[in-house]
């Protein structure tokens, strides 16, 4: 077992109607078994909306008709374009989701104005620099994008600008239409054999590289996160930033706008380039210092630039746009009919899926897990949240939860199991039953840190087949008192453990006791003296209170000794009903746990 990750939290347990217990707390010394009970399959919901019959989606920028129609099948759709920041803030408190392109700033003020209702922001495109991700995370709002639908369109536009710039197409066209015939002025340069540096080797960058190779160019790339095998498969050499800009005849930018890439092309970097270099930008305008680029063009360091994006859009009184050696287009990278429809459908599906509570493979501020892994982990995600809920409800009132240890039992190696998603759901389960906080995949770690909860994750490497990602998940809360003494391990921590059986989460250990309980509905755990008629007595009390029992099973150490009864209920029993169960003479302790 080795520790793999940790984060911190300090929770004070408050009395709650979801966790009630009576009777003397007895220490447990014997093992017990509870029969497995079948139940209905339940899947977790990670994003919750509860306003009106349908959620409301605000579409703040033009979206393809196919995407809007898809949204309307599920939600009330408000298409309001060209909103001022003030108008957006005024509208957002009535919306569960917001869809934007690149022209709308989704600022911290927008999230604060939503009053907690906004659950999803969809960015119809790849870049998300116009969305305040930190504020979104703090407010528990999922941000999703559409990273694939416009990939080819953006790459094709990059190649179009590259070839148009090399052959002076735009300038020659304007000249001919002005009645001139300047063949000698617009002599271009060939692409064959020239070196193209692709700066940012993601989806668009790699597609540009493929096409440039087809034009006979030598392609190099810089991207600190790009896998070398993917570059080799395309025939591209990954190099350092300085080597890329120093050896390139053409530079094509495909990096996101981040604090690290803001104005990454500036006076200093232009000075390192080969004289006569040509630059294409279909990424983000802010990655270039535009004043510095004008100076580099005037000095002849940069021979030409072809730009689809600008720091301010649309640019006003821009010397750069007006420069005779600049070809400019109005952010047309994704502007093909096919890409517009594709992006609209992709973002609509992502937003609807998030509102339904499905895990989003395109989420940009939640644990990023590939779609195939999401599918594999889904039942374990449900188990993780339920174990967190059970464990915290077993803590006696007044105790402070400061330290939680989570152990994952698996036959897979540490590098083959991503537990960020599971940790987020355990955190959700731990916090929500004892606070007013809304916790989801997005803000779980932030909320944990804010509250001072320390969660340590351990791995228990098991022998066996690695076909299943996990054998069990165990949650332990240390240095607390328990409402149900049987939940304490030999070392004094509250301990619950679970497994997934046939796709359904099961509770398999409470304290030192082996159990087998389907985690569906709510559970009453009773420790009792094993004697005839106990099932009937408890069942009769619940029936009189109109509480439907989904299962009831008993595990015991030996006949006429101690036994544990596990009762699954569909309805929450009243305090009076629970009190009557506790007053049965043979019941030594019990606890009601709302899952």
């Amino acid at each position: 077992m080795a520790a793999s990750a940790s984060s911190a939290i300090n929770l004070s347990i408050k009395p709650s109607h979801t966790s009630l217990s009576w009777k003397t707390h007895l220490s447990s010394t014997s093992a017990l078994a509870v029969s497995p009970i079948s139940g209905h399959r339940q899947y977790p919901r990670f994003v919750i909306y509860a306003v009106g019959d349908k959620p409301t989606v605000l579409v703040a920028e033009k979206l393809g008709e196919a995407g809007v129609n898809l949204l309307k099948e599920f939600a009330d759709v408000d298409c309001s374009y060209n909103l001022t920041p003030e108008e957006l803030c005024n509208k957002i408190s009535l919306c569960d989701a917001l869809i934007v392109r690149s022209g709308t700033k989704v600022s911290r003020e927008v999230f604060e104005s939503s009053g907690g209702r906004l659950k999803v922001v969809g960015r119809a495109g790849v870049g998300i620099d116009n969305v305040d991700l930190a504020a979104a995370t703090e407010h528990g709002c999922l941000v999703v994008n559409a990273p694939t639908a416009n990939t080819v369109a953006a790459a094709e536009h990059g190649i179009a600008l590259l070839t148009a710039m090399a052959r002076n197409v735009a300038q020659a066209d304007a000249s001919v239409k002005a009645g001139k015939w300047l063949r000698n002025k617009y002599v271009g340069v060939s692409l064959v054999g020239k070196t193209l540096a692709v700066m940012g080797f993601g989806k668009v960058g790699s597609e540009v590289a493929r096409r440039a190779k087809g034009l006979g160019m030598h392609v190099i790339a810089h991207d600190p996160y790009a896998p070398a095998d993917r570059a080799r498969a395309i025939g591209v050499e990954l190099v350092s930033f300085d080597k890329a800009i120093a050896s390139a005849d053409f530079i094509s930018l495909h990096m996101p706008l981040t604090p690290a890439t803001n104005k990454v092309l500036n006076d200093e970097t232009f000075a390192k380039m080969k004289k006569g270099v040509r630059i294409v930008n279909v990424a983000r305008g802010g990655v270039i210092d535009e004043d510095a680029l004008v100076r580099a063009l005037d000095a002849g360091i940069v021979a030409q630039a072809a730009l689809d994006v600008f720091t301010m859009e649309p640019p006003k009184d821009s010397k750069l746009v007006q420069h005779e050696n600049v070809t400019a287009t109005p952010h047309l990278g994704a502007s093909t009919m096919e890409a517009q429809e594709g992006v609209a459908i992709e973002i609509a599906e992502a937003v609807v899926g998030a509102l339904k509570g499905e895990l989003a493979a395109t989420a940009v501020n939640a644990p990023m897990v590939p779609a195939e892994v999401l599918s594999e982990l889904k039942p374990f995600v449900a188990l993780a949240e339920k174990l967190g809920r059970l464990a915290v409800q077993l803590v006696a009132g007044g105790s402070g939860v400061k330290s939680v240890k989570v152990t994952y039992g698996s036959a897979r190696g540490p590098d083959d199991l991503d537990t960020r998603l599971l940790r987020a759901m355990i955190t959700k389960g731990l916090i929500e039953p004892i606070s007013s906080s809304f916790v989801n995949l997005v803000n779980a770690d932030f909320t944990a840190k804010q509250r001072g909860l320390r969660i340590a994750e351990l791995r228990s490497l098991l022998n066996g087949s690695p076909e299943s990602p996990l054998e069990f998940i165990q949650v332990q809360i240390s240095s607390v008192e328990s409402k149900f003494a049987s939940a304490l391990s030999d070392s004094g921590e509250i301990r619950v453990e679970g497994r997934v059986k046939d796709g359904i989460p099961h509770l398999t250990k409470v304290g030192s006791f082996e159990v087998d309980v389907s985690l569906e509905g709510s559970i009453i755990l009773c420790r009792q003296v094993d004697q005839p008629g106990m099932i009937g007595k408890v069942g009769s009390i619940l029936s009189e209170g109109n509480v439907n029992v989904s299962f009831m099973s008993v595990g015991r150490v030996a006949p006429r000794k101690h036994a544990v009864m596990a009762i699954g209920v569909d309805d929450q029993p009243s305090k009076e009903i629970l009190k009557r169960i506790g007053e049965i003479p043979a019941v030594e302790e019990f606890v009601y746990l709302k899952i």
Side-chain angles (χ1 to χ4, degrees), residues 72-270:
K72 287 180 177 178
E73 293 177 4
F74 176 75
D76 293 325
V77 180
D78 177 2
C79 294
S80 297
Y81 308 145
N82 302 315
L83 295 173
T84 65
E86 293 75 17
E87 289 170 337
L88 178 59
C89 287
N90 289 337
K91 265 184 170 288
I92 204 64
S93 63
L94 303 176
C95 303
D96 303 284
L98 168 66
I99 294 179
V100 300
R101 298 188 74 88
S102 60
T104 300
K105 300 295 182 184
V106 189
S107 63
R108 178 174 292 275
E109 288 71 26
V110 172
F111 293 105
E112 291 174 348
S113 298
S114 76
R117 180 168 172 177
L118 185 64
K119 295 296 182 287
V120 190
V121 171
R123 164 66 169 94
V126 180
I128 39 82
D129 47 279
N130 57 318
V131 180
D132 190 328
L133 286 182
T137 300
E138 291 172 24
H139 287 79
C141 183
L142 188 71
V143 179
V144 295
N145 66 350
T148 61
N150 63 3
T151 296
V152 170
E156 288 178 345
H157 194 61
I159 292 295
L161 287 178
L162 178 75
T163 55
M165 173 179 63
R167 299 304 298 269
N168 300 300
V169 170
Q171 294 88 338
D173 173 73
S175 174
V176 171
K177 288 178 178 176
K180 301 177 182 178
W181 195 258
L182 304 175
R183 295 183 64 194
N184 292 332
K185 181 176 181 179
Y186 296 118
V187 175
V189 293
S190 179
L191 300 177
V192 174
K194 298 298 194 321
T195 297
L196 171 68
V198 177
M199 310 300 287
F201 201 67
K203 291 182 175 64
V204 178
S206 58
E207 290 299 324
V208 166
R210 292 178 193 275
R211 287 156 176 77
K213 292 283 290 183
L215 294 172
M217 302 188 78
H218 170 61
V219 182
I220 59 177
H222 170 73
D223 190 324
Y225 306 106
D229 56 347
R230 180 158 59 88
R232 282 196 299 269
I234 300 174
V236 173
E237 179 187 4
L238 289 176
V239 298
S240 68
F241 179 87
D242 284 346
K243 182 175 180 181
I245 64 172
S247 55
D249 300 300
F250 292 81
I251 295 174
S252 188
L253 301 176
H254 302 285
M255 57 188 65
L257 180 60
T258 67
T261 62
N262 185 42
K263 296 185 178 180
V264 69
L265 295 195
N266 50 44
D267 287 315
E268 181 181 352
T269 50
F270 284 131

Side-chain angles (χ1 to χ4, degrees), residues 20-63:
L20 303 168
S21 63
W22 286 265
K23 287 289 181 181
T24 306
H25 292 180
L26 301 178
S27 60
S28 56
T29 57
S30 306
L32 67 93
V34 180
S35 302
I37 304 296
S38 62
H40 298 291
R41 184 185 301 268
Q42 290 182 341
Y43 291 114
R45 293 302 185 193
F46 306 103
V47 179
I48 300 172
Y49 63 90
V51 183
D53 295 330
K54 286 184 174 182
T56 297
V57 179
L58 173 60
V59 180
E61 295 184 66
K62 184 68 176 176
L63 193 68

Side-chain angles (χ1 to χ4, degrees), residues 142-145 147 203 346 350 353-354 358-364 366-374:
L142 188 71
V143 179
V144 295
N145 66 350
K203 291 182 175 64
E346 185 175 8
E358 297 169 0
L359 296 169
T362 61
V364 295
M368 295 298 293
V369 185
E372 62 273 15
V373 178
L374 290 180

